[in-house]
């Protein structure tokens, strides 16, 4: 926002009346009269949707328990930057296929015509309603090796998403075999990209050698969050009415 010449204010729940029990729809109606847009990172998807509905200003989902769309837009941009159009490519997501990141990958696969393989244990695969909503070619496969074979992209994310800290031991045990390592990379295409949403936990969802061997891609991917978020802001700026202030006010 600052690079584009805009101004930002950062608000924690305790900086505003949300921390004192104000309803989201009331906070949204107040803030909607004071700012031109909102970027929200929270837990419940419903909270962002309610804010968007009642604020009347563009509201960007910067991560919820359900979705992580801004990340996946940056990831897809990174694939395009390095390998051209993502259409027709095979992206293998390794880990929790029911996570926010995986779900946003699913929605993207439906829109951009690439094959998404979710390599996850059965109870970490997405519910049928999400597969239906995503449409497109999304293949759930508990066989990690098979899911990785011939892939253009191997992608992973932290096993314990924000807010799931209490489930760490169980998730680490369940997801233990679902990691990207040197042997898995050999099954993908020779020029396959290895990508990571970050933060990385070496020895869990990815081994240290593989992460370092692919650090150029992974940290370009991370840098692209900056550039792609600017593109998102520009795209929504067209929805924002001009400033109401008169010159000199
Ligand atoms: N799935 C991860 C993404 C972190 C940016 C999480 O929700 O913690």
């Amino acid at each position: 926002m600052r690079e584009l010449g805009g101004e930002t204010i950062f608000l924690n729940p305790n900086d505003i009346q949300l921390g004192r029990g104000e309803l989201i729809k009331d906070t949204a109606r107040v803030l909607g009269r004071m700012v031109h847009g909102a970027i929200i990172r929270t837990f419940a998807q419903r909270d962002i949707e309610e804010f968007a509905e009642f604020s009347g200003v563009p509201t960007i989902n910067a991560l919820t328990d359900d979705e992580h769309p801004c990340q996946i837009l940056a990831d897809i941009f990174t694939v395009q930057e390095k390998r051209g159009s993502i259409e027709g490519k095979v992206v293998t997501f390794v880990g929790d296929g029911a996570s926010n990141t995986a779900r946003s990958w699913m929605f993207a696969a439906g829109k951009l015509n690439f094959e998404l393989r979710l390599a996850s244990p059965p109870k970490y695969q997405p519910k049928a309603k999400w597969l239906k909503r995503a449409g497109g070619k999304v293949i759930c496969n508990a066989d990690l090796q098979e899911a990785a074979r011939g892939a253009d992209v191997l992608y992973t994310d932290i096993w314990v998403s924000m807010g799931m800290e209490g489930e760490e031991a169980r998730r680490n045990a369940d997801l233990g075999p679902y990691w990207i390592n040197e042997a898995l990379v050999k099954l993908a295409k020779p020029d396959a990209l290895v990508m990571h949403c970050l933060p990385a936990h070496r020895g869990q969802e990815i081994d240290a050698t593989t992460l370092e061997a692919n650090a150029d891609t992974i940290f370009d991917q991370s840098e692209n969050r900056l550039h792609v978020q600017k593109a998102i802001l520009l795209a929504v700026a067209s929805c924002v009415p001009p400033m109401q202030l008169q010159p000199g006010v």
Side-chain angles (χ1 to χ4, degrees):
M1 178 60 88
R2 289 183 190 167
E3 289 189 11
L4 293 170
E7 301 215 9
T8 55
I9 48 173
F10 185 87
L11 300 170
N12 274 306
N14 288 333
D15 297 327
I16 50 180
Q17 301 302 333
L18 274 180
R20 298 180 60 221
E22 186 173 65
L23 296 181
I24 287 174
K25 64 182 179 182
D26 292 347
T27 298
R29 283 181 281 196
V30 174
L31 287 179
R33 291 159 186 252
M34 298 181 177
V35 299
H36 292 104
I39 302 162
I40 301 180
R41 173 170 280 198
T42 188
F43 297 100
Q45 174 77 15
R46 176 71 206 129
D47 289 350
I48 286 196
E49 290 175 6
E50 192 172 321
F51 188 97
E53 182 183 343
F54 284 91
S55 68
V57 295
T59 302
I60 296 172
N61 181 346
L63 180 142
T64 63
D65 290 342
D66 287 4
E67 298 180 26
H68 200 6
C70 293
Q71 174 73 46
I72 274 51
L73 286 170
D75 298 339
I76 290 170
F77 176 75
T78 307
V79 173
Q80 291 178 333
E81 191 177 51
K82 295 183 180 298
R83 297 287 184 269
S85 170
I86 197 164
E87 189 169 351
K89 292 206 168 38
V90 174
V91 176
T92 298
F93 182 103
V94 179
D96 179 0
S99 65
N100 46 11
T101 318
R103 192 170 300 158
S104 287
W105 268 112
M106 283 166 54
F107 294 149
K111 289 187 188 307
L112 298 177
N113 298 318
F114 60 89
E115 178 178 319
L116 178 67
R117 301 179 187 163
L118 298 173
S120 317
K123 68 179 175 190
Y124 289 81
Q125 287 172 9
K127 293 200 166 76
K129 72 169 182 180
W130 296 113
L131 289 165
K132 190 167 169 220
R133 181 172 146 192
K137 193 162 184 192
V138 180
I139 298 163
C140 301
N141 195 343
D143 184 331
L144 174 62
Q145 278 69 35
E146 193 181 301
R149 203 157 281 128
D152 295 281
V153 177
L154 294 178
Y155 186 103
T156 194
D157 188 10
I158 186 170
W159 287 338
V160 182
S161 283
M162 294 167 79
M164 295 181 172
E165 291 75 12
E167 299 172 28
E168 184 169 350
R170 181 171 57 78
R171 297 176 72 82
N172 287 352
D174 290 348
L175 292 163
Y178 290 82
W179 63 317
I180 301 182
N181 55 27
E182 290 174 279
L184 195 77
V185 172
K186 290 200 177 87
L187 298 176
K189 283 204 177 133
D191 68 342
L193 294 173
V194 173
M195 303 180 73
H196 196 305
C197 172
L198 299 179
H201 285 71
R202 291 164 174 78
Q204 294 191 359
E205 72 279 353
I206 192 163
D207 74 326
T209 312
T210 305
L211 187 141
E212 295 303 339
N214 293 279
D216 283 352
T217 301
I218 290 168
F219 292 100
D220 278 356
Q221 177 189 355
S222 160
E223 179 187 332
N224 281 336
R225 288 280 268 146
L226 173 65
H227 308 306
V228 171
Q229 306 334 290
K230 286 188 282 188
I232 294 168
L233 289 171
L234 286 175
V236 298
S238 59
C239 314
V240 176
M243 290 285 287
Q244 299 299 313
L245 294 178
Q246 300 300 313
V249 172

